Amino acid sequence: QVQLQESGPGLVKPSETLSLTCTVSGASIKSSYWTWIRQPPGEGLEYVGYIYHTGITNYNPSLKGRATISLDTSKSQFSLKLSSVTAADTAVYYCSGEPRLLDIWGQGTMVTVAS
Amino acid sequence: DVVMTQSPLSLPVTLGQPASISCRSSQILVYSDGNIYLNWFQQRPGQSPRRLIYKVSNRDSGVPDRFSGSGSGTDFTLKISRVEAEDVGLYYCMQGTHWPFTFGPGTKVDIK
């Protein structure tokens, strides 16, 4: 059974970089695409971006080049960095699987941007 | 971006009665591989989303058969044949055909 687990700081200061990691268990991280999605409090769901095991990435243009997703196959992890954060980046961040299908989800991690 | 609209946004239902949620996309959702990447998700209070239906009408393993999906073109529907208490939550449609992939605003299902 494939499981995803997000981890990272729950509080980030404005203008700094948000960094999150998703650990994959029960499947090879080399077998698929991996996705980040976020959900601001009380709001809907928004794609951040995804990465293929070859390293190919795709990001939501709404993030204006601030997002970077990377892969660490030795640790079976993929990561998200979001630079120059503002209060608008406050959200629950979820890691997920294949971006067209989102068959599996992590439990999510809340990140608050505040000084 | 493809805009996904859902109606209604709030759906109070009586236990044991049917429920239906409509989802409309601003563009046709047929991908170059011939698939229609229209999926439905349930998000119970305090939980992460869970996929119920993928590619319009395919029910996920473990999803009760009272849930069904249908549709074509730009109009899609999620139906619950007989609502149970555990079905309370938010329901989202999502398109995975045109990047950036997008979600509908969500439909809140609760019990009357």
Side-chain angles (χ1 to χ4, degrees):
Chain A
Q1 180 183 358
V2 183
Q3 291 188 314
L4 305 179
Q5 179 67 61
E6 304 88 349
S7 59
L11 181 64
V12 181
K13 291 183 167 56
S15 80
E16 296 191 346
T17 296
L18 175 162
S19 295
L20 297 173
T21 296
C22 181
T23 301
V24 180
S25 58
S28 170
I29 200 167
K30 297 179 184 178
S31 66
S32 186
Y33 292 82
W34 305 99
T35 301
W36 286 99
I37 287 166
R38 68 182 184 177
Q39 185 173 34
E43 297 185 26
L45 297 154
E46 179 187 35
Y47 272 82
V48 173
Y50 62 84
I51 187 166
Y52 192 42
H53 69 86
T54 57
I56 293 173
T57 53
N58 206 357
Y59 302 107
N60 194 324
S62 68
L63 296 171
K64 298 184 181 356
R66 297 189 295 123
T68 303
I69 299 174
S70 59
L71 209 57
D72 185 338
T73 56
S74 66
K75 295 181 179 178
S76 198
Q77 294 176 335
F78 63 103
S79 298
L80 168 68
K81 291 189 185 301
L82 187 63
S83 64
S84 305
V85 297
T86 69
D89 296 309
T90 293
V92 175
Y93 285 77
Y94 296 100
C95 56
S96 184
E98 209 283 345
R100 296 187 191 279
L101 295 171
L102 300 181
D103 49 342
I104 50 174
W105 293 67
Q107 66 183 31
T109 187
M110 179 69 201
V111 178
T112 301
V113 178
S115 53
Chain B
D1 297 3
V2 174
V3 177
M4 305 296 288
T5 55
Q6 290 181 229
S7 62
L9 297 182
S10 177
L11 184 56
V13 294
T14 301
L15 289 173
Q17 292 300 302
S20 180
I21 300 170
S22 173
C23 173
R24 180 165 291 177
S25 58
S26 61
Q27 297 181 33
I28 299 285
L29 298 183
V30 179
Y31 187 52
S32 55
D33 63 5
N35 287 307
I36 299 174
Y37 290 97
L38 186 286
N39 310 311
W40 288 95
F41 297 86
Q42 175 194 61
Q43 187 174 31
R44 291 174 172 148
Q47 295 187 14
S48 56
R50 163 202 184 197
R51 194 181 69 183
L52 299 175
I53 302 287
Y54 63 96
K55 290 191 284 184
V56 182
S57 59
N58 297 277
R59 193 182 311 113
D60 271 277
S61 174
V63 174
D65 61 7
R66 63 179 181 275
F67 289 93
S68 64
S70 63
S72 62
T74 60
D75 290 302
F76 304 92
T77 303
L78 176 71
K79 291 184 178 178
I80 310 173
S81 60
R82 295 172 307 280
V83 172
E84 298 190 6
E86 65 178 16
D87 300 336
V88 166
L90 282 160
Y91 290 79
Y92 295 94
C93 61
M94 164 251 158
Q95 66 84 17
T97 298
H98 304 287
W99 183 253
F101 307 147
T102 47
F103 292 88
T107 294
K108 184 176 182 180
V109 172
D110 60 14
I111 306 301
K112 280 183 183 174

